[in-house]
Amino acid sequence: MASSSSSKAVLLLTLCLISAAAAERTVGSFQCSARATCHALVDYSPTNDTTYSGIKALFGVKKLYSLLGANNLPTSTPPNTTVAAKQKIRVPFPCLCSSNSTSGVSNKVPVYTVKKGDVGLDDIARQTFSGLVTYQEIADHNNMSNPNLIQVGQRLWIPLPCSCDEVNETKVVHYGHLVESGSSVAGIAERFGTTEETLLKLNGMANASSLQADQVLDVPLKACSSSVRTDSLDSPLLVPNGTYVLTAYQCVKCNCDSANNWVLQCEASQLKSTNWSTCPSTQCSDSSSFSIVNTTSSTTCGSGTTCAYAGFNKTTIYTAQVPQPICPASNNTNAASKMVLHAWSWSFLFISIHLVLLLVFFL
Ligand SMILES: *[C@@H]1O[C@H](CO)[C@@H](O)[C@H](O)[C@H]1NC(C)=O
Ligand SMILES: *[C@@H]1O[C@H](CO)[C@@H](O)[C@H](O)[C@H]1NC(C)=O
Ligand SMILES: *[C@@H]1O[C@H](CO)[C@@H](O)[C@H](O)[C@H]1NC(C)=O
Ligand SMILES: *[C@@H]1O[C@H](CO)[C@@H](O)[C@H](O)[C@H]1NC(C)=O
Ligand SMILES: *[C@@H]1O[C@H](CO)[C@@H](O)[C@H](O)[C@H]1NC(C)=O
Ligand SMILES: *[C@@H]1O[C@H](CO)[C@@H](O)[C@H](O)[C@H]1NC(C)=O
Ligand SMILES: *[C@@H]1O[C@H](CO)[C@@H](O)[C@H](O)[C@H]1NC(C)=O
Ligand SMILES: *[C@@H]1O[C@H](CO)[C@@H](O)[C@H](O)[C@H]1NC(C)=O
Ligand SMILES: *[C@@H]1O[C@H](CO)[C@@H](O)[C@H](O)[C@H]1NC(C)=O
Ligand SMILES: *[C@@H]1O[C@H](CO)[C@@H](O)[C@H](O)[C@H]1NC(C)=O
Ligand SMILES: *[C@@H]1O[C@H](CO)[C@@H](O)[C@H](O)[C@H]1NC(C)=O
């Protein structure tokens, strides 16, 4: 009797250890070094066909545009557009790093309500949330003493992995990338503009061969530089390559494209504001035609100035005149010589206009 119950206990213990090992994320991944909140991204790969509004509701994303922007989809995309099973969608969410040396988790979202037919926590973690969390993590973060007991209508906070840490003293957007089978650490690093070394270190991986399909890899995405002021309500505005955000109560659309020298490109969105009856002016000067995105030179790389978006407060949209930043990223010497050339043509135009005016005056 005694030996049989002790062997049962051993068996149970072994099972627990196995599941704990399976549930444990590699040390080092999604670590936080200090208390902070920020925006993060995670891949979602639905088990069944769904829609953008379905994903928005499942993850508690506040605005459809945030979801569309994270995937660089047009703002006109209908919410009921089908997202096929297994397609990967980037979901934006708020991240909370609660203290030193812990893993970051999504800040109070998503909240999942247990439905009739949900088999258990593991099913919810794997099927509904495509393995972005484990049943153990859900149980731990919801203080469940028995993960096998769930009730219809019960509300569960799903702790998505994330971080707010800087990487190489640079502010980044941490992206939980669902690893596809057949991909390599080097390939992923190249695709997202980082290095193999950084990815290994950040994810606590000893070497590149420990990469596994369906692993959620912490990929730091570089964000575009912007002119947004520190006193702006959207500061720091971190927009990673290949995404856009709507800001200033939806009046301004800012897009990041590495091809624009990693400089954020903002423009009036032409959408209805969420908090203002009409969008405030985005002018840089009294001249009504000089507004954000306008440049003093019509060429793509000149010596003029650009009217840049610089943030907002409850009443105003800030703007700033900055030196024309949009130069081709590839060839520096070429760009520099072009700039000189444009400076020349600009002053040439200036002089010509004055000459013409002078002539008109005298004739
Ligand atoms: C989406 O909704 C619009 C109306 O809001 C409807 O006309 C359209 O057929 C729907 N599309 C799909 C794929 O359900
Ligand atoms: C974080 O923890 C490390 C050691 O674990 C300690 O040296 C450091 O001072 C802590 N930082 C803060 C801000 O608590
Ligand atoms: C996916 O569809 C199947 C069959 O229709 C259903 O049994 C299952 O519950 C669905 N899964 C999710 C996560 O909705
Ligand atoms: C779990 O318990 C801890 C400590 O008792 C508490 O701080 C935390 O808020 C609880 N979490 C939830 C989701 O109830
Ligand atoms: C930036 O995004 C584009 C697609 O939007 C992609 O082709 C390119 O590789 C990305 N570059 C970096 C450095 O992430
Ligand atoms: C961080 O710095 C190290 C050492 O300088 C470098 O090898 C690595 O590529 C950098 N990572 C990123 C993401 O820039
Ligand atoms: C990679 O690390 C694993 C342990 O994490 C080890 O078993 C394996 O031999 C290592 N491979 C190489 C090529 O170093
Ligand atoms: C913006 O409007 C929403 C409701 O329309 C409101 O909940 C929110 O507090 C407003 N934000 C600010 C900063 O006024
Ligand atoms: C400034 O940009 C707006 C919107 O793109 C455009 O309508 C306007 O013509 C531009 N003005 C100048 C001077 O380029
Ligand atoms: C917003 O900024 C403008 C211009 O700097 C300033 O005049 C205004 O008082 C500010 N409003 C608030 C609510 O801070
Ligand atoms: C830059 O342009 C020059 C002249 O057009 C060319 O010779 C050189 O190879 C280019 N360099 C790069 C890195 O593309």
Side-chain angles (χ1 to χ4, degrees), residues 117-130:
D118 282 338
V119 185
L121 275 194
D122 192 52
D123 177 57
I124 293 170
R126 285 178 202 272
Q127 302 297 317
T128 311
F129 288 95
S130 69

PDB file of all heavy atoms in Angstrom, residues 117-130:
ATOM      1  N   GLY A 117     -17.923  24.763 -24.289  1.00  0.00           N
ATOM      2  CA  GLY A 117     -17.188  24.010 -25.291  1.00  0.00           C
ATOM      3  C   GLY A 117     -15.684  24.176 -25.176  1.00  0.00           C
ATOM      4  O   GLY A 117     -14.940  23.443 -25.823  1.00  0.00           O
ATOM      5  N   ASP A 118     -15.207  25.134 -24.390  1.00  0.00           N
ATOM      6  CA  ASP A 118     -13.769  25.244 -24.147  1.00  0.00           C
ATOM      7  C   ASP A 118     -13.350  24.054 -23.283  1.00  0.00           C
ATOM      8  O   ASP A 118     -13.911  23.833 -22.209  1.00  0.00           O
ATOM      9  CB  ASP A 118     -13.441  26.551 -23.405  1.00  0.00           C
ATOM     10  CG  ASP A 118     -13.435  27.762 -24.320  1.00  0.00           C
ATOM     11  OD1 ASP A 118     -13.268  27.563 -25.547  1.00  0.00           O
ATOM     12  OD2 ASP A 118     -13.606  28.889 -23.835  1.00  0.00           O
ATOM     13  N   VAL A 119     -12.372  23.293 -23.788  1.00  0.00           N
ATOM     14  CA  VAL A 119     -12.025  22.047 -23.112  1.00  0.00           C
ATOM     15  C   VAL A 119     -11.223  22.305 -21.836  1.00  0.00           C
ATOM     16  O   VAL A 119     -11.416  21.661 -20.818  1.00  0.00           O
ATOM     17  CB  VAL A 119     -11.243  21.107 -24.073  1.00  0.00           C
ATOM     18  CG1 VAL A 119     -10.982  19.769 -23.416  1.00  0.00           C
ATOM     19  CG2 VAL A 119     -12.005  20.946 -25.362  1.00  0.00           C
ATOM     20  N   GLY A 120     -10.311  23.267 -21.896  1.00  0.00           N
ATOM     21  CA  GLY A 120      -9.489  23.540 -20.715  1.00  0.00           C
ATOM     22  C   GLY A 120      -8.535  24.671 -21.009  1.00  0.00           C
ATOM     23  O   GLY A 120      -8.527  25.224 -22.121  1.00  0.00           O
ATOM     24  N   LEU A 121      -7.707  25.003 -20.040  1.00  0.00           N
ATOM     25  CA  LEU A 121      -6.754  26.109 -20.206  1.00  0.00           C
ATOM     26  C   LEU A 121      -5.782  25.858 -21.341  1.00  0.00           C
ATOM     27  O   LEU A 121      -5.436  26.762 -22.099  1.00  0.00           O
ATOM     28  CB  LEU A 121      -5.943  26.299 -18.916  1.00  0.00           C
ATOM     29  CG  LEU A 121      -6.518  27.156 -17.806  1.00  0.00           C
ATOM     30  CD1 LEU A 121      -5.418  27.475 -16.814  1.00  0.00           C
ATOM     31  CD2 LEU A 121      -7.100  28.444 -18.373  1.00  0.00           C
ATOM     32  N   ASP A 122      -5.330  24.604 -21.455  1.00  0.00           N
ATOM     33  CA  ASP A 122      -4.355  24.271 -22.486  1.00  0.00           C
ATOM     34  C   ASP A 122      -4.940  24.488 -23.882  1.00  0.00           C
ATOM     35  O   ASP A 122      -4.280  25.014 -24.784  1.00  0.00           O
ATOM     36  CB  ASP A 122      -3.893  22.824 -22.310  1.00  0.00           C
ATOM     37  CG  ASP A 122      -2.687  22.517 -23.163  1.00  0.00           C
ATOM     38  OD1 ASP A 122      -1.700  23.286 -23.067  1.00  0.00           O
ATOM     39  OD2 ASP A 122      -2.721  21.554 -23.942  1.00  0.00           O
ATOM     40  N   ASP A 123      -6.212  24.128 -24.016  1.00  0.00           N
ATOM     41  CA  ASP A 123      -6.935  24.298 -25.270  1.00  0.00           C
ATOM     42  C   ASP A 123      -7.054  25.793 -25.602  1.00  0.00           C
ATOM     43  O   ASP A 123      -6.829  26.220 -26.741  1.00  0.00           O
ATOM     44  CB  ASP A 123      -8.315  23.651 -25.095  1.00  0.00           C
ATOM     45  CG  ASP A 123      -9.203  23.814 -26.300  1.00  0.00           C
ATOM     46  OD1 ASP A 123      -8.776  23.387 -27.377  1.00  0.00           O
ATOM     47  OD2 ASP A 123     -10.300  24.389 -26.160  1.00  0.00           O
ATOM     48  N   ILE A 124      -7.360  26.593 -24.593  1.00  0.00           N
ATOM     49  CA  ILE A 124      -7.488  28.044 -24.797  1.00  0.00           C
ATOM     50  C   ILE A 124      -6.132  28.627 -25.200  1.00  0.00           C
ATOM     51  O   ILE A 124      -6.031  29.417 -26.138  1.00  0.00           O
ATOM     52  CB  ILE A 124      -8.036  28.736 -23.519  1.00  0.00           C
ATOM     53  CG1 ILE A 124      -9.482  28.288 -23.281  1.00  0.00           C
ATOM     54  CG2 ILE A 124      -7.943  30.260 -23.622  1.00  0.00           C
ATOM     55  CD1 ILE A 124     -10.048  28.702 -21.943  1.00  0.00           C
ATOM     56  N   ALA A 125      -5.064  28.181 -24.515  1.00  0.00           N
ATOM     57  CA  ALA A 125      -3.726  28.688 -24.808  1.00  0.00           C
ATOM     58  C   ALA A 125      -3.276  28.296 -26.216  1.00  0.00           C
ATOM     59  O   ALA A 125      -2.767  29.127 -26.965  1.00  0.00           O
ATOM     60  CB  ALA A 125      -2.734  28.172 -23.772  1.00  0.00           C
ATOM     61  N   ARG A 126      -3.476  27.042 -26.569  1.00  0.00           N
ATOM     62  CA  ARG A 126      -2.968  26.552 -27.863  1.00  0.00           C
ATOM     63  C   ARG A 126      -3.870  26.882 -29.033  1.00  0.00           C
ATOM     64  O   ARG A 126      -3.390  27.301 -30.080  1.00  0.00           O
ATOM     65  CB  ARG A 126      -2.815  25.027 -27.820  1.00  0.00           C
ATOM     66  CG  ARG A 126      -1.628  24.551 -27.040  1.00  0.00           C
ATOM     67  CD  ARG A 126      -1.639  23.023 -27.061  1.00  0.00           C
ATOM     68  NE  ARG A 126      -0.879  22.476 -25.968  1.00  0.00           N
ATOM     69  CZ  ARG A 126       0.422  22.231 -26.023  1.00  0.00           C
ATOM     70  NH1 ARG A 126       1.098  22.487 -27.117  1.00  0.00           N
ATOM     71  NH2 ARG A 126       1.046  21.719 -24.982  1.00  0.00           N
ATOM     72  N   GLN A 127      -5.194  26.652 -28.871  1.00  0.00           N
ATOM     73  CA  GLN A 127      -6.116  26.825 -29.991  1.00  0.00           C
ATOM     74  C   GLN A 127      -6.518  28.286 -30.158  1.00  0.00           C
ATOM     75  O   GLN A 127      -6.329  28.869 -31.212  1.00  0.00           O
ATOM     76  CB  GLN A 127      -7.376  25.973 -29.796  1.00  0.00           C
ATOM     77  CG  GLN A 127      -7.112  24.486 -29.648  1.00  0.00           C
ATOM     78  CD  GLN A 127      -6.492  23.894 -30.903  1.00  0.00           C
ATOM     79  OE1 GLN A 127      -6.908  24.199 -32.020  1.00  0.00           O
ATOM     80  NE2 GLN A 127      -5.479  23.059 -30.719  1.00  0.00           N
ATOM     81  N   THR A 128      -7.060  28.868 -29.092  1.00  0.00           N
ATOM     82  CA  THR A 128      -7.607  30.215 -29.220  1.00  0.00           C
ATOM     83  C   THR A 128      -6.496  31.252 -29.367  1.00  0.00           C
ATOM     84  O   THR A 128      -6.602  32.163 -30.175  1.00  0.00           O
ATOM     85  CB  THR A 128      -8.501  30.547 -28.010  1.00  0.00           C
ATOM     86  OG1 THR A 128      -9.403  29.459 -27.830  1.00  0.00           O
ATOM     87  CG2 THR A 128      -9.280  31.818 -28.224  1.00  0.00           C
ATOM     88  N   PHE A 129      -5.409  31.088 -28.591  1.00  0.00           N
ATOM     89  CA  PHE A 129      -4.340  32.090 -28.642  1.00  0.00           C
ATOM     90  C   PHE A 129      -3.081  31.588 -29.355  1.00  0.00           C
ATOM     91  O   PHE A 129      -1.986  32.120 -29.151  1.00  0.00           O
ATOM     92  CB  PHE A 129      -4.042  32.621 -27.233  1.00  0.00           C
ATOM     93  CG  PHE A 129      -5.141  33.521 -26.732  1.00  0.00           C
ATOM     94  CD1 PHE A 129      -6.158  33.013 -25.932  1.00  0.00           C
ATOM     95  CD2 PHE A 129      -5.201  34.843 -27.117  1.00  0.00           C
ATOM     96  CE1 PHE A 129      -7.206  33.825 -25.507  1.00  0.00           C
ATOM     97  CE2 PHE A 129      -6.236  35.665 -26.698  1.00  0.00           C
ATOM     98  CZ  PHE A 129      -7.243  35.153 -25.897  1.00  0.00           C
ATOM     99  N   SER A 130      -3.225  30.605 -30.186  1.00  0.00           N
ATOM    100  CA  SER A 130      -2.185  30.045 -31.071  1.00  0.00           C
ATOM    101  C   SER A 130      -0.833  29.832 -30.375  1.00  0.00           C
ATOM    102  O   SER A 130       0.223  30.049 -30.964  1.00  0.00           O
ATOM    103  CB  SER A 130      -2.041  30.863 -32.365  1.00  0.00           C
ATOM    104  OG  SER A 130      -1.488  32.133 -32.154  1.00  0.00           O
TER     105      SER A 130
END
